[in-house]
Amino acid sequence: MGQAFHGFPIPFNSPNSSNPLSFSTSFVFSINAPGHGLTFMISPSMDFTRAMASQFLGLFNTSNNGNSTNRILAVEFDTVKSNEFLDIDGNHVGIDVNGLVSVESAPAAFFSNRQSKNITLKLSSKDPIRAWIEYNGVEMVLNVTLAPLDTSKPKLPLMSRKMNLTEIFNGKMYVGFSASTGNITSNHYVIGWSFSREGKAKEFDLTLLPSVSAPSPSDLDDFDPVFDTPSDSSTANPKRIKLIIICTLVVMVFMI
């Protein structure tokens, strides 16, 4: 399992902001095998040393899962069905608040603007997938939208959840990703990321995205995990070949 963060906390409750709790993020990710999944998260801390792998997705453990003191919002891209967390299937997206029993979830899919219907997406196909996660602080609505990389943003989100994030967030929070594996070797990639605290996340040039290819064991022999400082390749892989998270900062845009 592993985590990768933007290296500095972001203010979410600034009194000088006209809309202090709105945010927008867009990123491209790829998962090459089902085990166990990837999350985008907003957390008060970058310390996840007590987090567990497998179905805990590198976020929680058996003792703190579900605790309101966690103050964590996560959107999970889950590739394994975990009955203990009431997962709907082994290929779903969920909105998590302080724990892994999602407050809302849906089978992974995108709305086709041309066909006017939802089309299934396989999260662990290795094909790059674009995600948009947007919170409107005035309407207090969180929208989660998916699409294949070569498809424009759908008109309708996959999920739309009414929620008050002032009950969850501290004044400053960290934004980033977590991922975990179980019995199946799996690589998780975040290959482009844009984030804005106010307004729409800036679009990034998709032609700058690196290709996704699985590393050979020799590539990992001299690898030292980096968990909390940005670099040209922010990578987390505490179990060597089990997990890789790559945030390609060449196409990483922050508007705070």
Side-chain angles (χ1 to χ4, degrees):
M1 71 174 185
Q3 300 84 26
F5 291 92
H6 176 57
F8 304 96
I10 294 173
F12 276 86
N13 286 332
S14 172
N16 297 322
S17 173
S18 61
N19 193 7
L21 279 180
S22 292
F23 71 87
S24 172
T25 189
S26 173
F27 53 92
V28 177
F29 70 93
S30 172
I31 304 173
N32 76 339
H36 263 257
L38 172 79
T39 79
F40 169 80
M41 61 171 163
I42 301 178
S43 166
S45 170
M46 293 191 294
D47 183 6
F48 284 82
T49 54
R50 297 179 59 202
M52 298 175 65
S54 299
Q55 69 269 32
F56 289 92
L57 299 176
L59 285 177
F60 307 109
N61 59 45
T62 54
S63 62
N64 70 4
N65 183 52
N67 291 351
S68 60
T69 55
N70 291 330
R71 308 189 76 84
I72 291 175
L73 171 72
V75 176
E76 63 174 52
F77 304 89
D78 200 337
T79 58
V80 176
K81 182 178 181 180
S82 300
N83 292 327
E84 64 182 297
F85 300 139
L86 308 180
D87 285 352
I88 56 173
D89 60 26
N91 185 62
H92 67 271
V93 182
I95 299 171
D96 300 342
V97 177
N98 297 321
L100 291 164
V101 177
S102 300
V103 297
E104 186 160 340
S105 60
F110 73 100
F111 181 79
S112 170
N113 295 333
R114 183 172 59 85
Q115 301 182 46
S116 297
K117 67 176 184 179
N118 276 355
I119 297 177
T120 298
L121 280 172
K122 185 177 180 181
L123 296 175
S124 60
S125 68
K126 191 181 178 181
D127 294 332
I129 295 174
R130 186 88 180 263
W132 295 263
I133 301 171
E134 300 157 312
Y135 180 71
N136 184 314
V138 175
E139 298 179 359
M140 292 191 293
V141 172
L142 181 71
N143 289 326
V144 179
T145 307
L146 297 184
L149 184 61
D150 58 356
T151 301
S152 60
K153 185 181 179 182
K155 296 177 181 178
L156 298 179
L158 176 64
M159 291 185 292
S160 187
R161 176 79 180 188
K162 185 85 171 179
M163 56 197 313
N164 183 4
L165 293 185
T166 60
E167 299 173 350
I168 304 170
F169 287 175
N170 289 337
K172 291 184 177 181
M173 305 284 282
Y174 292 90
V175 296
F177 301 87
S178 73
S180 69
T181 59
N183 295 325
I184 299 176
T185 297
S186 179
N187 296 329
H188 302 72
Y189 299 90
V190 176
I191 54 178
W193 181 20
S194 176
F195 181 92
S196 176
R197 246 285 285 112
E198 292 185 352
K200 183 181 178 182
K202 187 175 180 180
E203 295 293 331
F204 48 81
D205 189 346
L206 297 181
T207 64
L208 296 178
L209 296 179
S211 61
V212 175
S213 60
S216 66
S218 61
D219 293 333
L220 301 175
D221 287 344
D222 298 320
F223 175 71
D224 291 321
V226 177
F227 298 100
D228 59 2
T229 56
S231 66
D232 288 342
S233 180
S234 298
T235 310
N237 183 19
K239 291 187 178 180
R240 299 291 180 179
I241 203 166
K242 291 293 185 181
L243 166 68
I244 295 175
I245 301 176
I246 297 177
C247 297
T248 307
L249 304 191
V250 173
V251 287
M252 183 173 176
V253 182
F254 271 76
M255 300 173 63
I256 301 170

